[in-house]
């Protein structure tokens, strides 16, 4: 599987011949100016919650690519009103098979989820993506929660994508605990440095994970990693 980072919490996962794009926020992110949002290809767009920094480019990408939107019922309905009819609504605890080879479970996140125009965005979530190439956990925006232990009970997680920027989500120390809860050694950090409130010391973050026996990957925007 291949993961490409597009800044903030946006990344793509290529597995089983499909591309899944998560939380598209690219054209509004000054740090991601090297990425041409109109060149991103994808088969599915997965959205964790309704905040602007997770949905901003979704409408244009969905309309251009015809990709299927996967999110909670409220967010899917909001985009349906904008003409996005290729969608699959779900909610916390639900499972869906995207293809015969790729399955997704929507899991709990402790956060909020208002949409950019103030519409109620339902509950925030995260996703566990299952394929024969391994299971990955994308936490979305969340605080540390004991619910993460349930993920390790059900799944063998190969890689977790966790917010580490603090202030609006968990910070580095709690993200290390989250990695312990889901029993994963390999972590990709998300949701840091984009805004002044979430600037972090990247070297210290890597060292903190290393001291806990874990590897924190902080990808450059546009960089890919193959696992
Ligand atoms: Ni948020
Ligand atoms: Mn956010």
């Amino acid at each position: 599987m291949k993961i490409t980072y597009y800044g903030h919490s946006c990344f793509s996962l290529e597995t089983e011949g499909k591309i899944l794009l998560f939380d598209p926020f690219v054209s509004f992110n000054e740090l991601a100016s090297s990425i041409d949002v109109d060149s991103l290809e994808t088969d599915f767009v997965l959205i964790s919650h309704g905040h602007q920094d997770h949905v901003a480019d979704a409408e244009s990408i969905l309309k251009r690519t015809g990709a299927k939107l996967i999110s909670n019922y409220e967010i899917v309905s909001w985009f349906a009103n904008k003409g996005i009819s290729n969608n699959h609504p779900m909610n916390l605890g639900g499972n869906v098979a995207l293809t015969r080879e790729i399955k997704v479970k929507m899991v709990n996140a402790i956060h909020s989820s208002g949409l950019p125009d103030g519409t109620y965005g339902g509950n925030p979530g995260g996703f566990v993506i299952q394929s024969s190439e391994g299971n990955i956990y994308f936490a979305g925006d969340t605080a540390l929660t004991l619910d993460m232990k349930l993920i390790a009970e059900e799944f063998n997680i190969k890689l977790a994508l966790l917010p580490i920027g603090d202030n609006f989500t968990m910070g580095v120390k709690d993200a290390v605990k989250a990695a312990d809860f889901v029993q994963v050694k390999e972590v990709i950090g998300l949701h840091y440095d984009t805004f002044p409130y979430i600037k972090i010391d990247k070297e210290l973050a890597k060292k903190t994970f290393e001291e806990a026996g874990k590897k924190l990957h902080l990808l450059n925007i546009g960089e890919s990693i193959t696992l």
Side-chain angles (χ1 to χ4, degrees):
M1 63 172 63
K2 182 178 166 192
I3 287 169
T4 305
Y5 185 51
Y6 296 113
H8 200 51
S9 288
C10 181
F11 65 96
S12 70
L13 165 68
E14 295 181 51
T15 186
E16 306 278 9
K18 297 290 179 192
I19 306 176
L20 285 63
L21 183 72
F22 295 79
D23 284 6
F25 175 74
V26 177
S27 66
F28 297 85
N29 180 1
E30 283 174 24
L31 301 182
S33 59
S34 62
I35 306 297
D36 174 14
V37 76
D38 295 325
S39 71
L40 297 183
E41 289 306 328
T42 188
D43 299 293
F44 300 93
V45 174
L46 290 87
I47 295 179
S48 64
H49 67 293
H51 290 159
Q52 176 76 3
D53 59 319
H54 300 259
V55 305
D57 288 307
E59 185 181 350
S60 72
I61 293 170
L62 287 161
K63 285 185 171 165
R64 178 177 53 77
T65 61
K68 183 180 270 194
L69 171 63
I70 312 292
S71 191
N72 72 23
Y73 182 81
E74 290 81 1
I75 290 170
V76 162
S77 301
W78 190 72
F79 279 102
N81 283 332
K82 296 173 180 291
I84 308 293
S85 55
N86 187 16
N87 61 49
H88 183 97
M90 55 195 308
N91 213 325
L92 298 174
N95 295 274
V96 62
L98 300 186
T99 66
R100 215 184 313 165
E101 294 85 12
I102 306 170
K103 294 197 185 81
V104 173
K105 183 172 191 177
M106 192 169 200
V107 296
N108 198 27
I110 307 290
H111 193 64
S112 55
S113 181
L115 283 152
D117 63 0
T119 302
Y120 172 63
N123 288 309
F127 297 103
V128 177
I129 317 298
Q130 307 141 68
S131 78
S132 67
E133 294 186 278
N135 304 323
I136 75 158
Y137 168 48
F138 166 50
D141 279 9
T142 186
L144 178 67
T145 163
L146 283 170
D147 290 349
M148 291 165 179
K149 292 191 176 184
L150 296 172
I151 293 169
E153 272 186 26
E154 184 175 1
F155 301 103
N156 184 7
I157 301 291
K158 179 175 177 177
L159 169 78
L161 294 106
L162 305 175
I164 57 168
D166 215 327
N167 193 74
F168 296 119
T169 67
M170 57 189 175
V172 170
K173 268 171 69 179
D174 281 355
V176 169
K177 269 193 192 172
D180 273 335
F181 287 178
V182 299
Q183 294 175 19
V184 72
K185 283 200 156 54
E186 300 278 332
V187 172
I188 292 180
L190 302 174
H191 214 272
Y192 65 94
D193 277 6
T194 318
F195 315 113
Y197 285 130
I198 57 173
K199 285 251 187 303
I200 66 160
D201 179 333
K202 292 197 273 292
E203 288 315 308
L204 181 62
K206 285 183 189 169
K207 204 171 143 233
T208 306
F209 272 80
E210 211 176 290
E211 283 168 359
K214 299 180 188 302
K215 170 79 182 169
L216 175 66
H217 302 269
L218 297 179
L219 302 183
N220 295 315
I221 294 175
E223 186 181 350
S224 298
I225 184 171
T226 302
L227 291 155

